[in-house]
Amino acid sequence: QKEVEQDPGPLSVPEGAIVSLNCTYSNSAFQYFMWYRQYSRKGPELLMYTYSSGNKEDGRFTAQVDKSSKYISLFIRDSQPSDSATYLCAFHQGGNNRLAFGKGNQVVVIP
Amino acid sequence: GAVVSQHPSWVICKSGTSVKIECRSLDFQATTMFWYRQFPKQSLMLMATSNEGSKATYEQGVEKDKFLINHASLTLSTLTVTSAHPEDSSFYICSARAGSEAFFGQGTRLTVV
């Protein structure tokens, strides 16, 4: 079983739609859960960071963590063309342990 | 969030030459920085963990003599690609931790001709 699973299939949505992305993980030691947005030819940008189960909201973005099911989600409300990017989920155990990444989801928001 | 600055953002070099990439944490100190390589449409591949004042830890399959890492201060780590070849052409990204959050540099696109 892979440590992190993220379906990399491209996702196209019309402007204004809700984007729903998710990742599953197998390592129970993961304590920190992150979502990154990466535009083409740029470094990843930290979007959401959380360490507990439940929802965390920041503007149009909501991160959801379910530790019991080892499942995290990212929701983008009222999607905009500027949200078109690749979204990566990431996990780590704390300290200076390495990040474990999903493969990334390419999202295209169509005007 | 914290800022990690990486330079240059892109570089073209001739085969056989060396290229140095800098990664700086601008508003925090980072005892550990990470260097990644990313191929088109793929996720980030960890190359090495850079520790301030000590030797870097390289991932399996990464040549330490080819990819020299120096972490001379709490705010600066450098990656030098030595004797570059076209197959070294890639997107290189550094990362540093601020607490438990990880921030990335802008990335460096290296093209070896």
Side-chain angles (χ1 to χ4, degrees):
Chain A
Q1 185 181 9
K2 289 186 178 178
E3 197 171 40
V4 178
E5 297 268 13
Q6 181 179 14
D7 183 356
L11 182 64
S12 292
V13 299
E15 184 175 355
I18 295 175
V19 176
S20 175
L21 305 170
N22 57 74
C23 290
T24 58
Y25 63 96
S26 59
N27 189 342
S28 299
F30 286 150
Q31 298 182 43
Y32 301 94
F33 310 92
M34 289 147 286
W35 285 96
Y36 288 88
R37 176 175 63 195
Q38 187 176 23
Y39 291 113
S40 181
R41 302 189 178 206
K42 298 290 184 184
E45 172 193 6
L46 182 62
L47 267 184
M48 301 290 285
Y49 159 81
T50 186
Y51 51 85
S52 58
S53 282
N55 292 353
K56 180 177 181 179
E57 193 172 311
D58 184 359
R60 296 184 294 111
F61 299 92
T62 299
Q64 189 176 78
V65 174
D66 182 344
K67 287 187 178 180
S68 61
S69 301
K70 295 190 179 65
Y71 184 93
I72 70 170
S73 299
L74 177 71
F75 301 98
I76 307 173
R77 291 184 299 281
D78 187 24
S79 57
Q80 305 294 310
S82 59
D83 294 327
S84 298
T86 296
Y87 292 81
L88 296 147
C89 59
F91 308 78
H92 74 91
Q93 300 177 35
N96 284 317
N97 284 294
R98 65 189 64 186
L99 287 176
F101 287 96
K103 290 186 176 181
N105 268 126
Q106 184 180 1
V107 173
V108 176
V109 180
I110 303 166
Chain B
V3 177
V4 175
S5 178
Q6 185 176 342
H7 292 280
S9 57
W10 62 271
V11 57
I12 301 173
C13 72
K14 291 184 177 180
S15 286
T17 62
S18 295
V19 173
K20 180 184 284 188
I21 303 169
E22 290 190 351
C23 181
R24 294 180 184 273
S25 55
L26 294 188
D27 49 1
F28 65 102
Q29 293 183 332
T31 56
T32 303
M33 291 186 178
F34 302 86
W35 287 96
Y36 295 86
R37 185 171 179 175
Q38 188 176 35
F39 293 101
K41 299 189 183 298
Q42 293 190 25
S43 193
L44 288 78
M45 181 185 77
L46 180 65
M47 297 175 66
T49 302
S50 167
N51 303 295
E52 188 267 336
S54 65
K55 291 183 179 180
T57 303
Y58 290 82
E59 295 299 301
Q60 191 172 11
V62 177
E63 299 176 61
K64 62 180 180 181
D65 294 329
K66 181 165 190 60
F67 299 100
L68 298 179
I69 291 173
N70 184 284
H71 194 150
S73 77
L74 288 171
T75 59
L76 173 65
S77 176
T78 60
L79 168 68
T80 301
V81 183
T82 62
S83 186
H85 290 285
E87 57 264 32
D88 299 325
S89 298
S90 192
F91 192 54
Y92 294 88
I93 312 172
C94 68
S95 171
R97 296 277 172 85
S100 297
E101 297 174 70
F103 298 92
F104 288 83
Q106 306 94 313
T108 298
R109 181 159 302 281
L110 170 64
T111 301
V112 184
V113 297

